[in-house]
Amino acid sequence: MKANKFLSILILFTVAIVLLTSCRPEYSVLPPEPEKAEVKDANTMIIYECNERLFAQENAFAAIENYLPVLQEMGVNVLWLMPIYPIGEDSTSIGSPYCIKDFTAINPAFGTMADLRSLVNKAHSLGMRVMLDWIANHTSWDNAWYLNHPEWYEGPSTGSEQYWKDVTFLNYNIAAVRDTMQAAMLYWMDEADIDGFRCDYAEGVPLTFWESVVTEIRNRKSDAIMLAETTDTRHYTIGFDLLYSWDFLGGISGLYSNKGTFAGLTAAHTSEYNATPKGKERMRYVTNHDVSSGEDKDADVSLKTRYRTPEGELSAFCLTIFMGGVPMFYSSQELGTVERIDFFQYNLMDFPKDKSQMGSYQAQMTNLLKVYLDTEYLRGATQTTGTLNRKVPYVDYDDEKESMIVICNSSDKEQEVKLPMKYQEQTIADLLSGDTLTLGTTTTLAPYEYRIYKH
């Protein structure tokens, strides 16, 4: 009888322990496991990828010029203009801005050379540099180069190229091709005072060409910005400043879509920077023209699948920019747009006329970027990354005098987490609100909420 009574008590005790454990916040299950990395040169560049077809169907350059003060308010100091050139009009054309009919002309819907010069001059007066999107691998079939020199061309050489039926591919074994393409790039520096180039599908063009043209570009402007759309690190060695971060993009969207983990994101981050020489950088973003278009209408990789909501996308952007790299955001992102945008078409949007007309989402993004720029001195300190639970990663910077922590809830659920020990019960500055407050041991974050504290 006593044995049965003892057994019953033991069972009740065990059940109670299980229930108590299951009700605990998740931070008791997964303690922080920081991963340290040294950050030496804190970035101060913020790039804006500008899709002219979102601004106006006529005189797009003027509309963009009017928007520049708002971008300056947001902290933008590099304006990347998507292709400004006339596009192919033959029977193969699908309306792609990356199908170039004339490399030294302007799409008349965007304006004139005078309009472009005005835009560039205004950008320069506001402390911004201007990059053009450059497509050196191919042209439209009705490009005068193809019509007059078909011998300059060759068949597709990669699997991807075989699917691009609206373009034909240049042969860089021919000296005239290299010379003519280089002259076209330098034309824009000479005629419109352009400050650099984002080079589309850079690995589709020989490194020897890029090395030559980068040298000539830097002879004109020693601080010209050269961004290569590739992860091939050989492009660093021949003069490019920036490469893409495709693995990091997969990691950040995986984390926010529940298809990946923070460990996977940090692995991508570490791998990319282990291959990045000192003085060079990676461009980091959560969306661009390819991602926002749904990448060939594949719903599985749409913005709504990646980040669910505008708030989710902004939280992901916060974590992205504070982990390292050069932040870039795509026109429409600042408006909180997560709908598909086909960049082959016009999709006019209501961009604010001045900073007083910013919506709350754009104001939040502006505040976030202001904190980013204001903390340059701390972002050059020792960086530690970790998790407060499986859904709440953090990035911590410490220069032994001050420290800053960025905490991001990557989920659409409220999360209660325990703060790192050095922040518990401490008086800190909330850099987003400007308030001073005393923290407790734990804190609760709303869905997709992010915090930035300095101690």
Side-chain angles (χ1 to χ4, degrees):
M1 186 73 173
K2 287 182 178 180
N4 290 339
K5 185 176 181 181
F6 175 77
L7 181 60
S8 298
I9 292 172
L10 181 61
I11 292 170
L12 288 172
F13 180 75
T14 302
V15 170
I17 290 296
V18 170
L19 289 173
L20 285 172
T21 302
S22 66
C23 293
R24 288 178 181 173
E26 195 179 346
Y27 59 73
S28 65
V29 178
L30 185 67
E33 296 180 357
E35 177 181 330
K36 289 192 174 182
E38 295 291 331
V39 178
K40 299 296 185 184
D41 300 313
N43 168 68
T44 57
M45 194 184 304
I46 296 176
I47 300 173
Y48 183 74
E49 181 187 7
C50 184
N51 181 346
E52 299 88 353
R53 296 183 181 195
L54 302 183
F55 283 86
Q57 286 188 279
E58 294 182 352
N59 301 318
F61 288 154
I64 295 165
E65 181 176 338
N66 290 336
Y67 189 55
L68 290 181
V70 177
L71 292 178
Q72 182 195 41
E73 180 72 16
M74 295 191 73
V76 170
N77 46 35
V78 178
L79 180 69
W80 157 16
L81 295 174
M82 287 179 64
I84 66 171
Y85 327 100
I87 64 174
E89 299 176 302
D90 75 317
S91 61
T92 69
S93 176
I94 55 176
S96 170
Y98 291 87
C99 175
I100 310 304
K101 184 176 181 179
D102 188 340
F103 283 98
T104 55
I106 292 173
N107 186 330
F110 299 163
T112 64
M113 178 64 83
D115 296 325
L116 176 62
R117 288 173 180 151
S118 177
L119 169 58
V120 173
N121 289 338
K122 179 68 172 181
H124 287 170
S125 74
L126 296 175
M128 297 180 197
R129 289 183 284 175
V130 181
M131 291 194 303
L132 294 188
D133 218 326
W134 198 260
I135 304 87
N137 174 255
H138 50 259
T139 76
S140 70
W141 290 93
D142 55 355
N143 188 299
W145 295 356
Y146 180 77
L147 298 177
N148 296 326
H149 300 283
E151 72 278 6
W152 288 6
Y153 291 77
E154 62 181 350
S157 57
T158 70
S160 295
E161 292 175 355
Q162 292 172 5
Y163 292 100
W164 303 338
K165 305 298 185 184
D166 60 328
V167 295
T168 180
F169 304 93
L170 289 159
N171 183 351
Y172 276 83
N173 291 321
I174 298 173
V177 170
R178 297 193 298 272
D179 294 343
T180 306
M181 184 61 75
Q182 177 172 290
M185 295 182 77
L186 298 176
Y187 168 85
W188 293 103
M189 299 189 74
D190 296 339
E191 295 298 321
D193 203 14
I194 294 302
D195 303 294
F197 297 89
R198 176 266 184 187
C199 297
D200 182 74
Y201 184 38
E203 61 202 65
V205 175
L207 289 168
T208 51
F209 169 76
W210 289 130
E211 185 171 27
S212 172
V213 78
V214 169
T215 298
E216 291 301 318
I217 286 170
R218 293 262 159 72
N219 285 339
R220 280 166 167 75
K221 287 193 177 185
S222 60
D223 63 345
I225 305 169
M226 295 301 294
L227 163 63
E229 188 198 20
T230 184
T231 58
D232 184 343
T233 56
R234 293 178 300 170
H235 289 76
Y236 284 135
T237 65
I238 49 91
F240 280 94
D241 308 289
L242 293 158
L243 303 188
Y244 269 56
S245 280
W246 287 324
D247 289 344
F248 186 92
L249 174 64
I252 193 71
S253 60
L255 175 65
Y256 276 79
S257 64
N258 290 324
K259 294 180 180 179
T261 64
F262 187 64
L265 176 62
T266 55
H269 171 76
T270 301
S271 175
E272 287 182 347
Y273 270 93
N274 282 345
T276 302
K278 181 176 174 56
K280 303 293 186 177
E281 267 295 1
R282 299 277 179 161
M283 185 178 74
R284 291 273 170 86
Y285 56 92
V286 296
T287 186
N288 64 0
H289 63 276
D290 286 320
V291 175
S292 292
S293 71
E295 296 184 357
D296 298 327
K297 304 182 181 180
D298 184 350
D300 189 46
V301 293
S302 69
L303 283 177
K304 285 188 175 180
T305 302
R306 290 174 187 263
Y307 311 114
R308 301 173 187 267
T309 65
E311 293 73 24
E313 186 179 66
L314 189 56
S315 176
F317 185 65
C318 176
L319 181 59
T320 294
I321 67 176
F322 279 99
M323 282 190 72
V326 173
M328 184 278 286
F329 65 100
Y330 175 55
S331 44
S332 74
Q333 183 181 340
E334 72 268 36
L335 305 182
T337 303
V338 292
E339 303 298 328
R340 179 176 181 268
I341 301 173
D342 182 354
F343 65 90
F344 288 17
Q345 307 294 329
Y346 283 93
N347 293 275
L348 301 185
M349 296 194 172
D350 188 17
F351 292 96
K353 305 301 181 187
D354 57 59
K355 64 182 181 180
S356 68
Q357 296 181 4
M358 283 187 188
S360 61
Y361 187 90
Q362 189 167 10
Q364 290 177 65
M365 192 170 175
T366 299
N367 192 33
L368 175 61
L369 289 168
K370 181 179 187 303
V371 171
Y372 174 82
L373 291 174
D374 287 347
T375 56
E376 173 199 353
Y377 70 102
L378 266 174
R379 289 187 289 104
T382 300
Q383 179 189 13
T384 305
T385 60
T387 52
L388 303 182
N389 72 23
R390 291 183 180 88
K391 296 297 182 185
V392 183
Y394 70 85
V395 183
D396 186 75
Y397 289 95
D398 193 332
D399 70 357
E400 298 182 354
K401 296 179 181 179
E402 289 184 307
S403 58
M404 174 179 70
I405 189 168
V406 180
I407 305 170
C408 299
N409 181 359
S410 67
S411 79
D412 58 356
K413 302 290 190 301
E414 184 179 274
Q415 299 288 332
E416 183 182 358
V417 293
K418 183 181 289 184
L419 293 165
M421 185 73 70
K422 71 177 181 179
Y423 290 96
Q424 293 179 18
E425 312 297 342
Q426 298 296 313
T427 299
I428 58 88
D430 183 329
L431 297 185
L432 292 168
S433 69
D435 296 334
T436 299
L437 57 123
T438 301
L439 299 175
T441 302
T442 65
T443 191
T444 301
L445 293 97
Y448 299 124
E449 184 180 4
Y450 53 88
R451 310 259 183 90
I452 305 178
Y453 297 145
K454 186 176 75 170
H455 171 50

